[in-house]
Amino acid sequence: MVRIGAFLVGLFFAGWLLISFLFGAVAYVSDPPQPTVEHEFHKAPKHVSFSFDGPFGRYDRQQLQRGFQVFKEVCSACHSLKFVAFRDLEALGYNEAEVKAIAKQWAIKTPDVDPKTGEMSTRDPVPADHFPKPFANNVAAAAANNNAIPPDLSLMTKARHHGSAYVYSLITGYQPQPAELLREFPDAKTPEGLHYNPYFANLNLAMAPPLTAEGQVSYGDGTKPTVDQMAKDVAAFLTWTAEPKLENRRRAGLATIVFLLIATGLAYMAYQNIWADKKKAA
């Protein structure tokens, strides 16, 4: 009896799902969704190659240092890296003295408490500190950025599909609104204070173009600082902030695959050796 009841309940729900699907299909065919400006003009990230692409890719330390320089001189005015400490920069090739100098010279001081009075104060960052936030709080951040709070960039390339290419495309993707867009969607004109970018989800964002001219950052290694190069370098740096152990993870994965292949081969040879006499007897 219980089985019959369970069968009937399951049959009821299956039938209800089928009816819902049929009604939804009919509604979709008779009244299809109207195209939206985001659907029509949003673009997938550009194709761009990085040294860390593929299973055997590795970070280019010089590129990461250039990317950090772009972040420091351009992006850090609005964006934070709350999950990255100054001492983590040693992985980019900076020595201990250089990391101390970078922390001490950072434009934003670190909040602290005076141990004698208990009052809030500030001090120069030290290597153990994480990168300070550029604004005291979200209210101050929104007030300085057209009511938009700049996101933390520590994990940005993991939070976006094709993260490295997305960051590169967004930085280099600012352009005037296409005339075709305004013809098809007259009400979709970019609002005052926002900027059109087809690589952003809703096409308009509050962030102004961060890289606008060649030579905006002066590289010490002789690399020509074009907008394209700077965008690619900072995208690589933000990939490292999101995945600092990428190379170790790939090395461990490769070693695991080699081990499994060898173990499989040994297991197969052991199987052949153990069962060889039994097969002949059979």
Side-chain angles (χ1 to χ4, degrees), residues 30-111:
S30 60
D31 187 20
Q34 297 300 312
T36 63
V37 61
E38 292 86 357
H39 180 267
E40 293 289 322
F41 291 91
H42 178 61
K43 294 182 179 180
K46 303 175 184 178
H47 176 73
V48 57
S49 298
F50 291 96
S51 63
F52 48 81
D53 290 339
F56 303 106
R58 298 173 62 93
Y59 286 127
D60 179 345
R61 262 54 187 181
Q62 280 193 315
Q63 182 179 48
L64 296 184
Q65 289 190 15
R66 294 195 303 268
F68 168 64
Q69 186 178 351
V70 175
F71 172 81
K72 177 183 177 183
E73 297 184 20
V74 180
C75 309
S76 65
C78 298
H79 295 279
S80 58
L81 284 180
K82 64 181 180 181
F83 295 120
V84 183
F86 286 101
R87 61 187 173 192
D88 294 332
L89 296 176
E90 292 184 15
L92 305 190
Y94 294 105
N95 58 42
E96 185 177 352
E98 290 173 326
V99 171
K100 287 182 178 179
I102 290 171
K104 186 175 182 180
Q105 295 167 4
W106 199 255
I108 304 166
K109 302 302 181 183
T110 297

Side-chain angles (χ1 to χ4, degrees), residues 151-219:
D152 180 82
L153 298 183
S154 304
L155 304 176
M156 185 56 66
T157 59
K158 289 181 71 70
R160 298 292 183 269
H161 192 50
H162 299 303
S164 306
Y166 167 80
V167 171
Y168 167 82
S169 301
L170 188 74
I171 293 175
T172 60
Y174 289 88
Q175 57 188 263
Q177 277 191 302
E180 181 184 358
L181 182 152
L182 296 176
R183 283 198 303 269
E184 292 185 27
F185 303 94
D187 297 332
K189 183 177 175 59
T190 298
E192 187 71 26
L194 300 184
H195 307 271
Y196 178 77
N197 192 317
Y199 300 98
F200 192 63
N202 66 2
L203 306 181
N204 302 301
L205 71 164
M207 182 177 73
L211 300 175
T212 56
E214 180 178 320
Q216 193 169 337
V217 173
S218 298
Y219 287 146

Side-chain angles (χ1 to χ4, degrees), residues 218-235:
S218 298
Y219 287 146
D221 63 359
T223 301
K224 188 175 182 180
T226 62
V227 171
D228 185 82
Q229 184 66 55
M230 290 185 289
K232 192 173 181 180
D233 291 342
V234 76

